[in-house]
Amino acid sequence: PEIDLNSLRVVGAEALLRLQCPEVGLMQPVDFITVAEETGLMGPVGDWVVGEAISSLQHERAFAVDTGRYLAINLSPRQLDRTFTVDLVKRLKNSPALAKTLVFEITETALFENEERFSEFFADIRETGARIALDDFGTGYSSLGHISRYPVDFIKLDRSFSRLLSRGNEAEAQRARALIKATATLSAELGIAIIAEGIEDMATLDQLRSYGIGFGQGYLFSSALPATAFRDWAQAFSGNNEAGRSAAGIRAA
């Protein structure tokens, strides 16, 4: 789930991929994505993920238009060939209401390694009404100057910055604060929203709010949920008032 940090309202969710393996149980992406990329399966896997996410979006009441919520989908550079892009843009143009509830996430490393391809993709996608998020900001070839060159709607601060605010030494925390504040200032001028990843405690939440960060996700609110459980969780979370969400009780699920 992704949360408005000021109102503590559920604004959307990020679709995550897991693999249920008969031999070892639930596997995280780090355990199988590399294999998919090396064997040439990342394109088909990515296409399946997009199809499943859109299907869930269309059939899940938690993402109905009147909720104003969005669903964020991660895209791999391996799947962004012309055929995929043309088909996706056509589908979204045929369903404007659907497009407005979608956010496509691209890592900053992937973007800066394939700038020309992604520039075209960004222009095509945003024309449909869908939005773009720059994911894992701060871990790759970060440059605040790059933000102004690409039409992104969201910047997702990597979880390492939230972790340094609460668990790093003073020098690390100071550097994290400086980058967060600088990114927040520039993003506000450009009309780009910031989503902080990895929020795990109230102290970090309070700091991020004070720096002008508007949105976030992390274990303080909820761990990853099956799609079928998201609606009930969102309803329960929204049913609790802000005063009742203490550090111990803010996770409604």
Side-chain angles (χ1 to χ4, degrees):
E2 298 189 350
I3 309 295
D4 182 316
L5 299 186
N6 294 304
S7 67
L8 293 183
R9 180 174 58 89
V10 182
V11 294
E14 177 184 0
L16 301 178
L17 183 64
R18 301 290 184 266
L19 179 63
Q20 187 65 49
C21 177
E23 288 80 19
V24 300
L26 195 65
M27 298 175 65
Q28 302 291 320
V30 68
D31 298 319
F32 60 84
I33 289 297
T34 300
V35 176
E37 291 178 338
E38 292 175 347
T39 56
L41 291 174
M42 196 58 242
V45 169
D47 294 351
W48 178 85
V49 168
V50 172
E52 286 292 303
I54 290 177
S55 178
S56 296
L57 188 62
Q58 291 174 309
H59 296 97
E60 179 48 66
R61 180 68 182 82
F63 293 99
V65 174
D66 60 352
T67 67
R69 294 176 185 145
Y70 60 80
L71 183 64
I73 305 172
N74 293 275
L75 295 179
S76 164
R78 303 292 178 92
Q79 71 189 105
L80 293 186
D81 57 36
R82 193 58 188 165
T83 299
F84 171 83
T85 301
V86 169
D87 289 346
L88 179 59
V89 169
K90 181 179 179 180
R91 182 172 187 176
L92 296 181
K93 284 186 175 181
N94 289 335
S95 303
L98 172 66
K100 291 178 181 178
T101 59
L102 285 171
V103 175
F104 293 100
E105 296 190 7
I106 304 291
T107 65
E108 62 162 345
T109 300
L111 169 62
F112 299 147
E113 290 179 348
N114 302 271
E115 296 189 30
E116 183 175 348
R117 180 193 302 180
F118 281 119
S119 293
E120 295 176 0
F121 176 76
F122 284 7
D124 291 341
I125 287 297
R126 294 185 88 242
E127 188 178 337
T128 70
R131 290 169 288 178
I132 299 289
L134 187 59
D135 196 13
D136 294 342
F137 185 82
T139 62
Y141 309 114
S142 296
S143 168
L144 295 181
H146 278 121
I147 298 174
S148 64
R149 295 176 52 190
Y150 299 97
V152 299
D153 302 281
F154 299 95
I155 291 172
K156 300 194 72 175
L157 280 177
D158 186 72
R159 68 185 68 250
S160 60
F161 293 102
S162 295
R163 187 175 296 115
L164 287 174
L165 288 178
S166 58
R167 302 180 189 176
N169 60 44
E170 181 52 36
E172 292 173 328
Q174 184 175 359
R175 286 195 293 270
R177 287 194 295 269
L179 178 58
I180 292 171
K181 290 178 181 179
T183 305
T185 298
L186 179 58
S187 297
E189 291 289 331
L190 297 174
I192 301 172
I194 299 181
I195 303 171
E197 300 177 314
I199 303 173
E200 298 185 2
D201 54 66
M202 286 297 296
T204 301
L205 171 60
D206 290 340
Q207 284 191 73
L208 291 169
R209 280 170 163 170
S210 71
Y211 303 151
I213 306 302
F215 304 95
Q217 61 189 130
Y219 288 146
L220 177 64
F221 310 112
S222 175
S223 56
L225 297 166
T228 53
F230 178 81
R231 176 176 54 184
D232 292 339
W233 175 87
Q235 184 174 355
F237 187 88
S238 299
N240 293 337
N241 60 45
E242 182 172 353
R245 293 178 191 152
S246 64
I250 194 169
R251 288 178 61 181

